[in-house]
């Protein structure tokens, strides 16, 4: 039986990954500080005997400092950091998935320091465990490392266009330096790490107040509020359904290190990193119209009143990328993977999730 | 009497800064891990009663963890971290200068992890002290945050073009995220920090084996070795003499916080950061020829044999920026500062330094 660690396991994507791994017969340990993740996301598998949840903060540099933690263990046996250390000491992980990090502007801008240090210390923590256990490690990077890109679509050789001192920088630069730490760790220690740059991903368990465009639009339509477009709505985004992304994670983790190394050497990339996203491109305006129509169609089917929401326009916030679309050539070639869920299908599932969520309140 | 902390105080620039501050009547505490810095650099002021040197590593996250260090103090009174903590506890700093970080590719590529973590933990360390003491803090960033720039010359609003996973990334991305941590700390805690992006700087006490172009060329000419140009020599660099940079540091630190805030607000920059460098542009080929000529002219004056060095060309290493030149409009406007030492004068002083250094071996 294989054992996996999922940091950010109570989050939107982390909880889907835990569920998938448990379904595939893994023993799963999830760590989360519950800043944006919630126990509700883990409800369907929380009682699975193969699942362990630890509330701990991987941005805390002491998490692997055994000297400090041993002392804590005596003094305060029940602190979460201490529990974490004791589970980690007992467990040998085969696979480590580093998903922890606030990922929506509304959350990461509220705690910029936590965000940057989650990226940095989270990576150091996972690298240390991966070396100790000779585990495979998958790190979640982000399309945000491309910033407001000057090339379109973005492929992995593109270096990005990111502001170091703006209000998005805590996330973007934290994720950039996390890639650097991993690339150097691979060169120095031969640790078996691999990275994905995740483009816009949506689905059930997204945070309803995360300020991101899909959750915003659905919640606004369901609550009969105006649907807010920032800017003129001509900026485009690509939308990947969560299950597609989890498929990419699993396919990537199944590959042996040697194959990965050879692939990236051939492609002249300094570290094993691939884009995962859905290249289908929609303007924000198209998405708003589609969401409103689908919410209304669903209401009509159920003979309920349709949404009274209207689409309104507001000024664009600082540093918002105007255009972003993944080039997934490498992921296709390496994993034989591509996204399969069309936007309409994913959106329907997500709308159903948000309807249940708002009904339960 | 004012008290200043200089991290990297045994380094090339750090030692010049310590000397200047002592001459201006400051009490100075210098911290350095002596990875690239040396005690020889501090020889002229090491016995000044107003000077304290601490060998410690600010990349060690525990440096300000008083709980851990108190315990260490009992067990091992003489460890440098412990000494460091006790000096820091006793001292109230008026000014903190964060210069610590290996800055030449040959040094930072030998210890990529140390390099990245010096940038990150060094900034956290200085920010913490600056908050505690309500001190002014000056952080040394670098023109490397612009990477291989797509605009020329570089001004502070430019976001840069940097590879996250290359062999220079440990320095570039470490320095980028250090700017991010400071920008967020200013927004969150109103700490009085300011930043300079330092372009190529040279002068006495440069490391003779740091692989940088000025030290390389002078050493090669003095030792009758071939003068190595990487690439075709058409790439340009700007060269700032160290004393000019120290003048900029001092002018910047004399400004009150309110004036700085107002200036950067007016210029729509997310944090107080200015370029410091010499905009005079030379091709690497021009520099090689000038260095060889000056070494030979000096030999002729002293009736010594001239150098037998010849200029040779080698392939360009990975990610080497092709062109870099500072736009110093902001520094001029804010500080009334500009570089004053011409390349010929600075180069002559640097050649004299390297001549003494090689003679003493």
């Amino acid at each position: 039986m294989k054992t996996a660690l999922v940091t950010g396991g109570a989050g939107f994507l982390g909880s889907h990954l835990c569920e998938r791994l448990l379904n595939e017969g893994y023993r799963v340990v999830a760590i989360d500080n519950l800043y944006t993740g919630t126990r509700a996301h883990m409800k369907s598998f929380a009682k699975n005997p193969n699942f362990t949840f630890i509330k701990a903060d991987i941005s805390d540099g002491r998490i692997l400092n055994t000297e400090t933690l041993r002392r804590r263990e005596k003094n305060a046996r029940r602190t979460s950091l201490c529990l974490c250390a004791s589970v980690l000491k007992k467990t040998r992980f085969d696979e480590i998935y580093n998903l922890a990090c606030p990922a929506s502007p509304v959350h990461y801008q509220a705690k910029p320091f936590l965000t940057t240090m989650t990226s940095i210390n989270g990576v150091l923590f996972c690298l240390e465990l991966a070396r100790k256990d000779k585990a495979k490690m998958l790190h979640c990077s982000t399309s945000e490392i491309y910033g407001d890109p000057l090339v379109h679509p973005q492929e992995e050789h593109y270096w990005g266009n990111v502001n170091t001192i703006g209000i998005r920088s805590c996330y973007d630069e934290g994720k950039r330096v996390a890639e650097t730490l991993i690339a150097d760790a691979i060169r120095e220690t031969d640790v078996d790490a691999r990275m994905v740059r995740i483009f816009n991903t949506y689905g059930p368990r997204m945070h309803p107040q995360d300020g991101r465009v899909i959750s915003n639009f659905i919640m606004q339509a369901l609550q009969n509020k105006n649907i807010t477009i920032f800017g003129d709505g001509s900026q485009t985004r690509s939308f990947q359904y969560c299950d597609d992304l989890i498929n990419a994670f699993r396919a990537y983790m199944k590959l042996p290190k040697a194959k990965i190394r050879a692939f990236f050497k051939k492609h002249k990339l300094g570290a094993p990193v691939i884009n995962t996203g859905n290249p289908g491109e929609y303007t924000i305006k198209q998405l708003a119209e589609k969401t409103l129509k689908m919410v209304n169609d669903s209401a009509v089917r159920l003979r309920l009143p349709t949404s009274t929401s209207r689409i309104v326009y507001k000024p664009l916030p600082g540093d918002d990328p105007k255009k972003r679309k993944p080039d997934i050539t490498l992921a296709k070639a390496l994993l034989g993977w591509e996204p399969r869920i069309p936007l309409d299908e994913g959106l329907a599932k997500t709308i159903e999730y948000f309807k249940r969520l708002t009904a339960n309140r």
Side-chain angles (χ1 to χ4, degrees), chain A:
Chain A
M1 189 177 212
K2 281 191 177 173
T3 304
L5 177 69
V6 180
T7 74
F12 158 43
L13 295 171
S15 62
H16 285 292
L17 176 62
C18 290
E19 198 159 17
R20 172 74 66 91
L21 290 166
L22 289 165
N23 288 342
E24 290 187 24
Y26 276 67
R27 189 180 294 128
V28 176
V29 176
I31 299 182
D32 203 298
N33 64 358
L34 299 182
Y35 169 48
T36 62
T38 75
R39 289 183 193 273
H41 290 163
M42 302 181 288
K43 210 172 163 185
S44 60
F45 54 85
K47 293 190 174 153
N48 186 319
N50 292 326
F51 181 70
T52 306
F53 175 69
I54 304 171
K55 182 175 180 298
D57 193 337
I58 60 164
S59 80
D60 188 324
R62 296 168 305 172
I63 197 164
L64 268 182
N65 183 335
T66 41
E67 189 200 349
T68 310
L69 289 172
R70 225 182 2 251
R71 214 168 292 118
R72 286 182 149 250
E73 249 177 317
K74 279 184 217 152
N75 302 339
R77 184 163 284 278
R78 300 217 156 264
T79 67
S80 56
L81 266 183
C82 155
L83 174 67
C84 184
S86 84
V87 170
L88 299 180
K89 229 176 287 171
K90 280 194 303 224
T91 315
R92 196 205 147 268
F93 294 104
D94 301 284
E95 298 177 9
I96 294 167
Y97 297 83
N98 187 30
L99 275 69
C101 196
S104 73
V106 62
H107 290 125
Y108 66 66
Q109 284 165 16
K111 298 196 182 228
F113 181 77
L114 173 82
T115 301
T116 309
M117 295 316 291
T118 299
S119 281
I120 294 167
N121 284 336
V123 155
L124 298 180
F125 166 76
C126 291
L127 283 170
E128 180 90 12
L129 269 186
R131 274 193 293 247
K132 174 177 84 67
D133 289 351
K134 299 199 191 308
K136 290 180 181 174
M137 167 178 163
L138 181 94
H139 170 69
C140 292
S141 187
T142 166
S143 61
E144 296 286 334
I145 73 113
Y146 299 123
D148 193 358
L150 305 175
V151 304
H152 198 70
Q154 293 80 53
E155 54 97 44
E156 292 84 349
H157 293 84
Y158 176 54
W159 290 356
N161 181 35
V162 172
N163 184 0
T164 56
I165 54 176
I167 55 169
R168 300 177 75 101
S169 309
C170 60
Y171 186 67
D172 301 2
E173 293 293 342
K175 286 289 191 180
R176 287 177 64 95
V177 80
E179 288 197 1
T180 304
L181 287 164
I182 292 171
D184 280 321
I186 292 172
R187 279 189 284 262
E188 297 260 300
T189 68
D190 204 36
V191 62
D192 187 5
R194 45 205 84 185
M195 301 184 255
V196 288
R197 291 179 184 153
I198 303 174
F199 285 65
N200 260 4
T201 305
Y202 72 100
R205 298 183 194 151
M206 287 185 89
H207 198 291
Q209 270 95 40
D210 72 357
R212 283 198 279 191
V213 64
I214 286 200
S215 44
N216 265 4
F217 287 175
I218 298 177
M219 289 298 288
Q220 288 166 338
L222 290 176
Q223 298 177 333
N224 299 306
K225 292 178 181 165
N226 285 337
I227 294 185
T228 328
I229 291 179
F230 293 97
D232 66 1
S234 67
Q235 69 272 40
T236 66
R237 290 288 185 282
S238 63
F239 303 101
Q240 167 177 240
Y241 188 66
C242 52
D243 290 1
D244 280 330
L245 176 64
I246 306 294
N247 288 339
F249 286 176
R250 296 295 300 131
Y252 204 2
M253 275 301 233
K254 279 174 188 157
L255 295 181
K257 180 161 79 172
K259 183 172 173 183
I260 291 176
R261 293 290 157 88
F263 181 85
F264 288 97
K265 195 172 173 190
K266 185 180 131 202
H267 287 277
K268 296 190 176 18
L269 258 177
V273 63
I274 49 168
N275 291 334
T276 56
N278 192 322
E281 216 173 351
Y282 296 85
T283 66
I284 294 296
K285 187 158 176 278
Q286 285 174 321
L287 180 75
E289 289 165 350
K290 188 186 275 284
T291 305
L292 189 53
K293 183 173 182 307
M294 288 182 72
V295 166
N296 282 337
D297 288 353
S298 155
V300 168
R301 275 197 306 277
L302 298 168
R303 299 174 189 257
L304 292 171
T306 57
S307 174
T308 59
S309 302
R310 299 181 54 185
I311 295 174
V312 297
Y313 295 83
K314 287 197 180 172
L316 213 58
D319 299 355
D320 196 53
K322 284 178 260 318
K323 234 179 169 191
R324 216 184 273 147
K325 175 186 165 174
D327 179 328
I328 57 167
T329 310
L330 285 191
K332 279 184 186 172
L334 179 65
L335 310 179
W337 166 91
E338 61 185 312
R340 295 185 180 280
I341 317 278
L343 182 59
D344 283 50
E345 185 183 334
L347 215 45
K349 291 184 184 180
T350 313
I351 289 170
E352 287 315 305
Y353 168 75
F354 278 115
K355 277 167 89 174
R356 283 197 306 279
L357 195 72
T358 43
N360 289 342
R361 278 181 179 177

